[in-house]
């Protein structure tokens, strides 16, 4: 990595970590996506009930494979052949999980998590339910402030996710948000998590690489 880029990343992550901890989030920093699973091996206890939100980051870091092959009761929303009803049941059971893994659509330098969701199951679990929530974010999700974060989730993350999911929305064609009310809209809920009342329940793993959308 270019030394100037490394300096910028290291300097900003140091500020981010301090601000996350001030908001009652526990923060871990790793260099590469390959470092995520070894860290999870230390955090997630065997025999636990584990679930996850929709996330390309989890696949890119090998987290889904880790959960499938580990000694966990994994509520696997990605299992082939599941009906819509079965997926909905997994969403509901996830509220009782010991660990819920997800990514964030944006994270601000002052330590806020910003997310957008269609069904709202991922954001509901982030806010309340599972005993522990683990949020894995790449350096590309880092923004300066809340407004930049909302702009990012609407005009970068959402169009790419809508296209990935083959949604018939204006953004999946134009690449930018139209504030639509389409039946395929994946932007029903925007949540800014500025702190958490339970210290350490939300654990943020910051990866010094670009991950997901």
């Amino acid at each position: 990595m270019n030394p100037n880029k490394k300096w910028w990343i290291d300097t900003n992550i140091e500020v981010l970590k301090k601000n996350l901890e001030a908001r009652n989030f526990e923060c871990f920093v790793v260099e590469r996506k390959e470092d995520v699973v070894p860290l999870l091996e230390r955090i997630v206890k065997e025999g636990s009930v584990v679930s996850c939100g929709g996330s390309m980051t989890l696949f890119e870091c090998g987290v889904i494979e880790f959960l499938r092959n580990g000694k966990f009761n994994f509520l696997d929303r990605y299992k082939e052949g599941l009906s819509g009803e079965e997926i909905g049941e997994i969403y509901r059971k996830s509220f009782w999980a010991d660990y819920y893994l997800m990514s964030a659509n944006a994270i601000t330098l002052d330590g806020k998590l910003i997310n957008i969701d269609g069904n709202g199951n991922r954001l509901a679990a982030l806010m309340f339910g599972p005993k522990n929530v683990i949020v894995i974010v790449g350096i590309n999700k880092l923004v300066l402030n809340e407004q930049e974060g909302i702009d990012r989730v609407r005009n970068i993350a959402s169009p790419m996710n809508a296209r990935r999911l083959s949604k018939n929305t204006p953004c999946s064609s134009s690449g930018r948000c139209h504030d639509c009310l389409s039946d395929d809209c994946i932007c029903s809920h925007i949540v800014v998590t500025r702190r958490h009342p339970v210290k350490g329940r939300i654990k943020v793993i910051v990866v010094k690489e670009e991950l997901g959308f």
Side-chain angles (χ1 to χ4, degrees), residues 15-93:
V15 174
L16 173 62
K17 186 175 190 298
K18 180 180 178 181
N19 289 331
L20 285 168
E21 291 171 347
R23 296 177 185 275
N24 280 347
F25 305 128
E26 189 173 2
C27 181
F28 303 86
V29 179
V30 298
E31 295 290 328
R32 306 172 305 143
K33 62 184 179 183
E34 290 83 4
D35 299 326
V36 172
V37 167
L39 176 58
L40 292 177
E41 289 175 339
R42 303 200 304 268
I43 296 175
V44 184
K45 297 179 181 179
E46 291 186 356
S48 298
V49 177
V50 184
S51 189
C52 68
S55 168
M56 292 303 296
T57 294
L58 299 185
F59 279 100
E60 291 175 15
C61 293
V63 173
I64 302 299
E65 183 179 358
F66 163 68
L67 296 177
R68 285 174 171 169
N69 297 330
K71 296 179 180 179
F72 312 111
N73 178 6
F74 178 36
L75 305 177
D76 189 354
R77 57 177 285 160
Y78 294 112
K79 185 178 179 180
E80 289 187 13
L82 291 176
S83 66
E85 183 177 339
E86 288 171 325
I87 293 173
E89 185 64 18
I90 287 175
Y91 288 173
R92 288 184 286 273
K93 286 182 178 179

Side-chain angles (χ1 to χ4, degrees), residues 47-51 94 96-100 130-133:
S48 298
V49 177
V50 184
S51 189
S94 295
W96 303 101
D98 297 304
Y99 297 90
Y100 188 87
K131 293 178 182 177
N132 298 277
V133 177

